[in-house]
Amino acid sequence: MAEYGRVREGVRAYGLIAGTWVRSTMAYRASFLMTTFGNFAATFFDFVAIMLMFSRVDSLAGWSLPEVAFLYGLSAVAFGMADLLIGSMDRLGRRVRDGTLDTLLVRPAPVLAQVAADRFALRRLGRVTQGALVLGWSLSRLDVDWTPLKLLLMPVMIAGGCGIFCAVFVAGAAFQFLAQDASEVQNAFTYGGTTLLQYPPAVFTEGLVRGVTFVLPLAFVNWVPAAYVLGRPYPLGLPGWTAFVSPLVALACCALAGLAWRAGLRSYRSTGS
């Protein structure tokens, strides 16, 4: 019951802080629209690069453009939602270095909620919108025998992928308690991870695919469930039931990230200034 109360308190604090930043953003609506469009356009160039690649080839490792766009859209939407919700976690290292984390420690609200909602950037909806448009385009071009199970899997894999990326954000922030200047290391697994997932697993070496399946399970964001939807071979010959475990993988990752966060927060020592 106590754990549930802390979670409820954290969600409430997150909502209040994020709401404050949203109201601040909407006070300058023209600026918000321009920055959101800029975020949309900047991320769209990633897909432009893929389209340019397919202007020279018919397939990539046996995958057609709509199939690759399907992977791209799933990864972009899942990551975009996580980036929108807790993308500010990469600012933690700066707070540790300059001592401003101390101000969060004395407030009557969970530190994780405060850090996650800090400078909540509604403009990141541009990335989610761009990914959703690419995903919608791919679905209109794919020749898929849709079943109720495949339709149900679509929102499940997006939610699971969002949870997995949220766990990576939190774990990366926990690492910054020790490294203090590791935002680029964190970005390699978050922004770098979503870029990796935009391409078929057959493009990469088996060692890398094993790493993002069994060590940092990003493969369950889209590679594994997408294999079921598209009728493609599963990465590393995984059994068919693994297509449906993305939510469980996300829960496990979030639990481990939570433990890492608690350990990092306990190890924090104030700057004393």
Side-chain angles (χ1 to χ4, degrees):
M1 253 341 247
E3 188 67 27
Y4 173 76
R6 285 195 292 270
V7 171
R8 185 174 60 182
E9 181 184 357
V11 171
R12 180 176 179 275
Y14 176 92
L16 291 173
I17 297 170
T20 300
W21 283 104
V22 169
R23 289 191 294 273
S24 174
T25 298
M26 297 310 293
Y28 304 93
R29 297 195 178 186
S31 176
F32 163 69
L33 292 174
M34 287 188 290
T35 55
T36 302
F37 177 77
N39 188 271
F40 175 95
T43 55
F44 182 69
F45 282 115
D46 292 338
F47 188 64
V48 169
I50 294 176
M51 290 191 296
L52 290 175
M53 186 187 309
F54 274 92
S55 69
R56 298 294 182 182
V57 297
D58 294 327
S59 64
L60 182 63
W63 291 60
S64 66
L65 176 57
E67 289 175 322
V68 174
F70 185 66
L71 292 180
Y72 177 98
L74 290 173
S75 173
V77 172
F79 176 77
M81 291 171 59
D83 190 37
L84 173 67
L85 293 173
I86 61 173
S88 298
M89 296 296 294
D90 60 2
R91 298 172 52 85
L92 180 67
R94 187 182 309 170
R95 284 190 172 276
V96 171
R97 291 195 307 274
D98 61 22
T100 55
L101 182 63
D102 293 3
T103 61
L104 306 187
L105 293 173
V106 299
R107 292 174 181 170
V111 178
L112 179 59
Q114 294 184 70
V115 175
D118 184 36
R119 297 187 179 276
F120 184 87
L122 199 59
R123 68 178 184 277
R124 290 171 177 157
L125 281 173
R127 179 187 291 273
V128 180
T129 303
Q130 185 265 334
L133 289 175
V134 173
L135 180 60
W137 178 85
S138 71
L139 291 173
S140 69
R141 297 294 191 276
L142 287 171
D143 184 17
V144 175
D145 182 18
W146 290 104
T147 63
L149 199 55
K150 288 182 179 180
L151 290 172
L152 177 63
L153 187 58
M154 289 295 296
V156 168
M157 76 171 96
I158 291 175
C162 176
I164 292 171
F165 275 122
C166 283
V168 176
F169 270 112
V170 174
F175 176 68
Q176 293 194 55
F177 280 113
L178 300 176
Q180 298 185 9
D181 190 14
S183 59
E184 293 305 319
V185 175
Q186 180 177 345
N187 291 342
F189 292 99
T190 51
Y191 292 92
T194 188
T195 301
L196 176 80
L197 297 176
Q198 291 169 3
Y199 297 90
V203 172
F204 306 102
T205 64
E206 183 177 333
L208 180 60
V209 175
R210 287 186 181 278
V212 297
T213 302
F214 300 115
V215 180
L216 184 66
L218 296 176
F220 293 93
V221 173
N222 63 352
W223 282 355
V224 178
Y228 173 79
V229 174
L230 300 177
R232 285 279 181 177
Y234 287 74
L236 305 174
L238 293 173
W241 56 265
T242 55
F244 305 94
V245 301
S246 292
L248 297 179
V249 173
L251 288 174
C253 289
C254 288
L256 292 173
L259 292 175
W261 172 264
R262 288 187 177 184
L265 190 59
R266 290 192 185 110
S267 70
Y268 173 70
R269 295 295 180 269
S270 172
T271 58
S273 58

